[in-house]
């Protein structure tokens, strides 16, 4: 079974690339973040043409998450139970579903913006709610994973130069403690292998030639429980998908599991 996660940074802008990638990589399940469209504008028909069903939590211009599956979608939970509001509303940053033998969450963790900003406190509260929401599945026997754009680099090795990020979000002690608390529910970090260079970065800023210079960060993470992590055969960052005109600033993370998927829906 192949499960992947990808911050597409607008499914509308990235749709031709997404469809081509689905055809070539054929994941059984794909978790998407930053779809940046309303649920009723999501490209269901185009995806159905490739055999994928979609569960979507999206409201419009910003944020938005989805789970695509060609092995079925059941028990969908839209949103983060108990999650905090920001500026009076709960943002569309989480969705969970059972896809074949596995249960997955697609999450787009708040950025935090600046350590002095209200968004930073919101980010930490959001992590607390996520920890509480996934604890039961994390401790369970069914393969389970929380995949997505966490907007946190777990260690200094996960950024190209720690000095550049000193005092900024994504690397603070509190954010990394939130990741540790999430792992303490029974999850472990499925670290992918890089297809080039030494570090499996997943995000490169569009500015200052960050991608050609490999000035990246590993912030797109796969946190799996024992049943999930123990079945991993391979995991890698598809760095090729960050190349070329019209690419997202994130690359897909792909995980192959020694878990039998049910019969796939024919395209």
């Amino acid at each position: 079974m192949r499960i992947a996660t990808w911050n597409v940074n607008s499914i509308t802008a990235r749709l031709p690339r997404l469809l081509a990638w689905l055809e070539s990589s054929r994941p059984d399940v794909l978790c998407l973040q930053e779809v940046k469209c309303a649920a009723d504008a999501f490209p269901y028909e185009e995806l159905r043409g490739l055999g994928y069903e979609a569960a979507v939590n999206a409201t419009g211009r910003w944020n938005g998450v989805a789970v695509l599956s060609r092995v079925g979608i059941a028990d969908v939970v839209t949103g983060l139970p108990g999650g905090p509001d920001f500026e009076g509303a709960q943002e569309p940053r989480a969705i969970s579903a059972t896809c074949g033998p596995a249960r997955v969450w697609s999450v787009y963790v708040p950025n935090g913006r600046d350590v002095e900003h209200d968004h930073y406190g919101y980010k930490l509260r959001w992590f607390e709610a996520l920890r509480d929401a996934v604890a039961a599945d994390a401790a369970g026997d069914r393969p389970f994973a929380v995949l997505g754009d966490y907007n946190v680099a777990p260690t200094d090795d996960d950024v190209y130069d720690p000095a550049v990020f000193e005092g900024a979000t994504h690397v603070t002690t509190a954010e990394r403690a939130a990741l540790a608390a999430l792992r303490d529910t029974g999850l472990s970090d499925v670290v992918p292998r890089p297809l080039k260079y030494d570090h499996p970065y997943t995000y490169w800023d569009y500015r200052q030639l960050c991608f050609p210079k490999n000035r990246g960060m590993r912030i797109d993470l796969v946190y799996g429980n024992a049943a999930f992590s123990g079945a991993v055969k391979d995991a890698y960052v598809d760095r090729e998908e960050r190349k070329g005109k019209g690419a997202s600033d994130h690359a897909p993370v792909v995980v192959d599991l020694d878990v039998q998927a049910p019969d796939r829906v024919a395209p």
Side-chain angles (χ1 to χ4, degrees):
M1 187 173 185
R2 172 167 285 183
I3 299 178
T5 183
W6 189 8
N7 179 325
V8 290
N9 190 13
S10 173
I11 196 167
T12 303
R14 236 61 67 186
L15 185 59
R17 293 186 69 126
L18 171 63
L19 296 176
W21 188 81
L22 288 171
E23 285 198 275
S24 63
S25 298
R26 299 303 290 165
D28 296 294
V29 179
L30 174 60
C31 295
L32 295 175
Q33 301 84 43
E34 268 200 285
V35 299
K36 292 183 176 178
C37 74
D40 60 5
F42 200 79
Y44 298 99
E45 289 301 319
E46 292 90 335
L47 295 165
R48 194 172 292 121
L50 296 180
Y52 288 92
E53 300 173 78
V56 181
N57 181 15
T59 56
R61 185 178 179 188
W62 306 115
N63 308 318
V65 290
V67 175
L68 312 184
S69 174
R70 59 184 183 132
V71 293
I73 291 183
D75 303 322
V76 174
V77 176
T78 301
L80 178 60
D85 290 351
F86 186 70
E87 295 182 344
Q90 186 175 119
E91 298 177 313
R93 293 183 174 274
I95 191 167
S96 58
T98 299
C99 303
R103 185 158 184 82
V104 300
W105 281 72
S106 177
V107 300
Y108 178 42
V109 176
N111 178 281
R113 301 183 186 174
D114 183 271
V115 293
E116 302 298 328
H117 198 283
D118 289 346
H119 210 258
Y120 181 74
Y122 163 60
K123 180 178 190 174
L124 298 180
R125 293 192 300 275
W126 203 93
F127 263 122
E128 290 176 1
L130 179 64
R131 178 195 63 204
D132 293 342
V134 307
D137 281 322
D141 296 329
R142 172 175 56 179
F144 171 74
V146 184
L147 307 95
D149 180 355
Y150 280 66
N151 271 314
V152 182
T155 72
D156 282 353
D157 285 340
D158 295 308
V159 297
Y160 74 91
D161 183 354
V164 172
F165 298 91
E166 188 172 350
T169 59
H170 293 57
V171 299
T172 66
T173 299
E175 290 167 297
R176 289 175 173 173
L179 283 184
L182 187 61
R183 293 193 298 268
D184 285 345
T185 63
L187 303 176
S188 59
D189 188 353
V190 178
V191 180
R193 60 184 174 88
L195 295 186
K196 187 178 181 181
Y197 302 114
D198 296 331
H199 298 290
Y201 300 141
T202 64
Y203 164 82
W204 300 259
D205 197 301
Y206 287 128
R207 299 166 296 181
Q208 299 178 331
L209 298 175
C210 282
F211 182 66
K213 295 179 179 179
N214 201 37
R215 295 176 177 173
M217 307 175 72
R218 186 173 76 93
I219 57 175
D220 300 88
L221 310 176
V222 178
Y223 273 19
N225 71 351
F228 185 99
S229 299
V232 173
K233 296 191 298 182
D234 191 17
Y236 62 92
V237 179
D238 191 350
R239 192 180 184 279
E240 294 300 304
E241 195 53 42
R242 178 59 177 80
K243 294 181 178 179
K245 184 178 180 180
S248 171
D249 44 2
H250 296 250
V253 179
V254 181
V255 180
D256 288 327
L257 301 173
D258 188 13
V259 172
Q260 184 62 45
D263 291 340
R264 295 165 173 79
V265 177

